[in-house]
């Protein structure tokens, strides 16, 4: 119930601990006083009830939500739609209760430490993210299925093994798909193995089709969303898609290109001591974004005369190749951030 001592002018800060089935919310006033906490279903109606409950204490200014990209995504979208600022709050890693979590999320939001602006996930970048997940799953499943096929052929009955062992690639898949086991005689290892090989070959063929299908649509969507980004040397569809997903549909949440570099793990860290004045590689940030920036640098070192000249000049100055690659990754991060901001501004317009 609303606190009778709160006034209509009291600004309310909320905190929400999100889960699959329920969300636990807490309300604080601008002095940090706990006004109440309650639990709501993690459904559209439950999220609306949660917002109504928070608003009953007064005008809600900001809500800290745990897991805005997963369990709290639906709630975060509703809050933004009602012009309420949403802050991403990290989940605690110690034993506690849902009520304590919600109160701590609200307090963290009130003081402004340890929070971030979440991705809106309302534009083409969210579609790219979903398609990339589907493609990555298919790409990971394919070598596992190929290994199963190879191992089964190795241990197959002699006649079957000899008939298949010299086939490679597409020919092997075609031969295995063409196998016609007698399903009434599966007690015979030959027919049992034939059915297994036939099934796995069909799975691999299907995965290949899924990957090609997703590649086609990702090529079109990424090119339409970020033509400037994909036009940069060393940035193909996969790299551009990953960098877009890292930035989100609202890359302005990163404030600057330095924020983007830090998010990608390419912001230099001080490693100076005594007479040594240097920086070192950053082991933090999103590793997939760091990976595509590294690949872009490797491509430029091979094909870009300017990058090759930079490598030679910095080597003569005494830098190691590892340090030079670190500097180049920071440069590419700056260049890609500029391209992303330009492309998404045009997409929004």
């Amino acid at each position: 119930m609303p606190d009778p001592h709160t006034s209509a002018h009291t600004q309310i800060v909320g905190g929400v601990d999100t889960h699959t089935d329920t969300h636990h919310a807490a309300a604080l006033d601008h002095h940090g006083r706990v006004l109440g906490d309650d639990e709501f279903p993690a459904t559209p109606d439950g999220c609306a009830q949660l917002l109504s409950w928070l608003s009953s204490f007064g005008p809600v200014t900001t809500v800290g939500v745990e897991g805005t990209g997963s369990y709290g995504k639906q709630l975060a979208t509703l809050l933004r739609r009602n012009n309420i600022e949403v802050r991403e709050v990290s989940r605690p890693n110690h034993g506690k209760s849902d009520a304590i979590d919600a109160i701590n999320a609200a307090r963290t939001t009130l003081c402004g430490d340890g929070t971030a602006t979440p991705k809106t996930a309302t534009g083409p970048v969210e579609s790219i993210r979903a398609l990339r997940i589907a493609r990555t799953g298919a790409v990971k499943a394919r070598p596992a299925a190929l290994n199963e096929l190879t191992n089964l052929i190795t241990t197959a009955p002699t006649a079957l093994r000899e008939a298949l062992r010299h086939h490679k690639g597409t020919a092997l898949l075609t031969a295995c798909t063409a196998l016609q086991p007698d399903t009434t005689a599966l007690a015979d290892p030959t027919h049992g193995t034939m059915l297994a090989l036939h099934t796995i070959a069909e799975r691999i063929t299907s995965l290949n089709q899924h990957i090609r299908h997703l590649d086609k649509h990702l090529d079109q969507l990424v090119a339409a969303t970020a033509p400037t980004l994909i036009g940069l040397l060393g940035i193909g569809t996969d790299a551009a898609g990953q960098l877009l997903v890292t930035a989100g549909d609202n890359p302005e949440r990163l404030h600057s290109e330095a924020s983007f570099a830090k998010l990608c793990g390419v912001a230099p860290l001080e490693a100076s001591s005594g007479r040594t004045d240097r920086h070192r590689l950053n082991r933090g940030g999103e590793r997939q974004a760091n990976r595509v920036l590294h690949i872009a640098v490797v491509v430029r070192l091979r094909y870009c005369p300017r990058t090759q000249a930079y490598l030679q000049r910095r080597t003569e100055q005494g830098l190691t190749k590892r340090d030079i690659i670190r500097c180049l990754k920071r440069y590419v991060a700056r260049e890609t951030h500029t391209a992303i901001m330009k492309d998404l501004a045009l997409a929004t317009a």
Side-chain angles (χ1 to χ4, degrees), residues 229 243-244 247-248 251 260 335-345:
L229 177 63
L243 293 173
L244 286 170
F260 181 69
E335 189 178 44
T336 53
H337 176 266
T338 301
I340 289 170
M341 295 298 291
K342 176 182 178 181
D343 287 333
L344 292 186

Side-chain angles (χ1 to χ4, degrees), residues 102-125:
I103 293 170
N104 286 339
R107 284 179 172 156
T108 300
T109 303
L110 183 64
C111 69
D113 293 333
T115 65
T117 303
K119 300 174 183 178
T120 58
T122 56
V125 175

